[in-house]
């Protein structure tokens, strides 16, 4: 049975409780008054917001700190014969593509975005092959091209800069045509990018790679010229480079893509037919990284498509870093490598 207090009894209990409370309050020190607990503070915006997503350089896959450059990717065509020695500015490139030109020799397309050197050269001419090599939005620095090539480059919407423009000059200590150079840093400052470029290669990490096979040396043979690489100190050294001492490209990986080659439709002044690399479709690929070789396949949907890599096990990514791409002819070209 529940007992209820008489009203007079209830009032007495309340009075006693109030008096006891006042007595306890009077016994406390004046400086030690307790304050009611503060209401829980609302979390600040810095505590509730997620950390910003990391951003990456499109030509190396490395993480970028700060904003993207205001200039576009600048691709410079560089001579790659003994007459070019010493090449200047390759050490600052983000990425390099080596392509076939007439007579079985090669020319370099050096890509600059995260870092731009003061000077680059010797600067040489474009080829129609560059339409499939140069990324959208990039500007090419070149010594020019044959009229048929210029028409095709213009038709592809690729902007280019040549002799006569500010920053392109002749080096009087060298002989023509190997004396054209460019003040690339000054040129880059004069250019404005419409948007940041997409990744040039499918980037990943070393941990993503299949095991592959041991390969500490490799040679990409184009016919009259062969580029040889040795795995040393965690990277790849071009043992027959024409670059100036201390200015060699710091290759973390070498990516060899076997490509179809056609006829560009004209001859050079020496009478050699000018080849055209068909950098679209698909072909065999070998990625060299960490002293190992991973075989796979490359695909590219049209000249402006993205480069995709795969193995029998699935997608193949390239570890972030500086990559030298060898576009070796599937016919009349060769790739060899050894332990």
């Amino acid at each position: 049975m529940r007992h209820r207090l008489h009203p007079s009894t209830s009032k007495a209990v309340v009075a006693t409780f109030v008096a006891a409370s006042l007595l306890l309050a009077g016994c406390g020190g004046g400086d030690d008054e307790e304050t009611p607990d503060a209401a829980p503070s609302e979390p600040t915006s810095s505590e509730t917001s997620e950390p910003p997503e990391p951003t990456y350089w499109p030509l190396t896959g490395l993480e970028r700190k700060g904003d993207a450059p205001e200039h576009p990717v600048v691709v410079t065509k560089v001579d790659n014969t003994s007459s070019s020695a010493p090449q200047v500015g390759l050490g600052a490139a983000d990425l390099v593509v080596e392509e076939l030109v007439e007579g079985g020799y090669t020319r370099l397309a050096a890509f600059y975005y995260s870092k731009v050197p003061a000077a680059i050269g010797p600067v040489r001419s474009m080829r129609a092959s560059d339409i499939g090599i140069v990324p959208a939005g990039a500007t090419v620095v070149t010594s020019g091209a044959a009229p048929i090539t210029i028409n095709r480059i213009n038709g592809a919407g690729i902007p280019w800069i040549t002799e006569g423009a500010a920053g392109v000059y002749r080096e009087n200590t060298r002989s023509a045509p190997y004396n054209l150079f460019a003040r690339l840093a000054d040129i880059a400052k004069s250019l404005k990018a419409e948007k940041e470029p997409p990744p040039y290669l499918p980037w990943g990490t070393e941990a993503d790679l299949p095991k592959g096979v041991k390969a500490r040396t490799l040679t990409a043979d184009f016919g009259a010229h062969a580029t040889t690489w040795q795995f040393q100190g965690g990277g790849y050294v071009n043992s027959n480079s024409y670059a100036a001492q201390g200015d060699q490209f710091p290759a973390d990986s070498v990516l060899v893509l076997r490509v179809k080659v056609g006829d560009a439709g004209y001859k050079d002044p020496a009478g050699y037919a000018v080849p055209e690399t068909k950098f679209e479709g698909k072909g065999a690929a070998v990625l060299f990284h960490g002293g190992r070789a991973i075989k796979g396949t490359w695909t590219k949907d049209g000249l402006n498509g993205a480069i995709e890599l795969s193995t029998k096990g699935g997608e193949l990514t390239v570890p972030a870093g500086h990559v030298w791409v060898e576009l070796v002819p599937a016919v009349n070209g060769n790739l060899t490598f050894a332990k």
Side-chain angles (χ1 to χ4, degrees):
M1 177 181 295
R2 179 176 299 175
H3 297 278
R4 299 183 64 182
L5 293 175
H6 188 275
S8 60
T9 306
S10 176
K11 289 178 182 179
V13 171
V14 172
T16 302
F17 176 78
V18 171
S21 299
L22 291 172
L23 179 61
L24 288 173
C27 293
D31 293 334
D32 296 329
E33 291 184 5
E34 293 185 8
T35 58
D37 292 339
S41 60
E42 292 294 327
T44 64
S45 58
S46 61
E47 293 173 334
T48 58
S49 61
E50 293 292 330
E53 287 290 329
T55 54
Y56 301 91
W57 291 106
L59 301 181
T60 63
L62 297 170
E63 186 172 351
R64 185 184 77 219
K65 302 296 184 183
D67 296 332
E70 294 184 358
H71 63 77
V73 171
V74 182
V75 178
T76 306
K77 297 305 300 292
V78 179
D79 188 84
N80 197 41
T81 66
S82 58
S83 299
S84 69
Q87 297 162 329
V88 175
L90 285 185
D94 285 328
L95 179 143
V96 173
V97 176
E98 184 171 8
E99 61 185 287
L100 179 70
V101 291
E102 53 275 16
Y105 292 94
T106 65
R107 191 151 294 172
L108 308 179
F111 291 55
Y112 299 89
Y113 189 57
S114 68
K115 183 165 56 174
V116 182
I120 179 73
V123 177
R124 296 302 304 277
S125 58
M126 299 179 290
R127 295 292 184 273
S129 304
D130 295 321
I131 297 172
I133 294 171
V134 174
T139 294
V140 180
V141 177
T142 173
S143 65
I148 186 172
T149 299
I150 288 177
N151 289 338
R152 292 187 59 189
I153 294 289
N154 288 342
I158 300 174
W160 50 280
I161 294 171
T162 189
E163 190 171 10
V168 184
Y169 65 98
R170 293 284 173 178
E171 174 56 67
N172 57 20
T173 62
R174 303 197 187 201
S175 59
Y178 308 101
N179 64 344
L180 190 66
F181 281 71
R183 296 185 180 90
L184 214 59
D186 291 342
I187 290 172
K189 290 176 183 177
S190 70
L191 303 173
K192 295 297 180 183
E194 293 183 2
K195 58 182 179 180
E196 190 173 349
Y200 193 79
L201 292 170
W203 301 111
T205 68
E206 188 172 330
D208 300 329
L209 294 180
K211 185 176 181 180
V213 297
K214 289 184 178 179
R216 299 188 69 86
T217 65
L218 69 117
T219 299
D221 191 343
F222 291 81
H225 175 78
T227 299
T228 302
W229 296 91
Q230 295 179 348
F231 181 66
Q232 297 177 4
Y236 290 83
V237 176
N238 180 189
S239 56
N240 61 339
S241 171
Y242 300 118
Q245 185 68 28
D247 202 9
Q248 291 192 0
F249 180 76
D252 296 302
S253 303
V254 178
L255 177 61
V256 180
L257 307 179
R258 303 303 297 271
V259 295
K260 295 178 181 179
V261 177
D263 189 338
Y266 66 99
K267 292 181 171 60
D268 73 353
Y272 290 103
V274 176
E276 180 182 348
T277 295
K278 306 290 187 179
F279 196 21
E280 59 181 330
K282 63 180 181 179
V286 184
L287 172 63
F288 295 88
H289 182 84
R292 308 189 72 84
I294 298 97
K295 295 182 179 180
T297 302
W298 67 269
T299 59
K300 193 165 177 282
D301 186 11
L303 293 175
N304 298 321
I307 301 169
E308 297 181 358
L309 303 170
S310 62
T311 65
K312 291 181 179 179
E315 180 187 14
L316 174 63
T317 58
V318 180
H322 294 82
V323 181
W324 185 292
V325 181
E326 304 277 17
L327 297 183
V328 178
V331 178
N332 299 327
N334 196 24
L335 168 66
T336 56
F337 56 90
K339 297 180 182 180

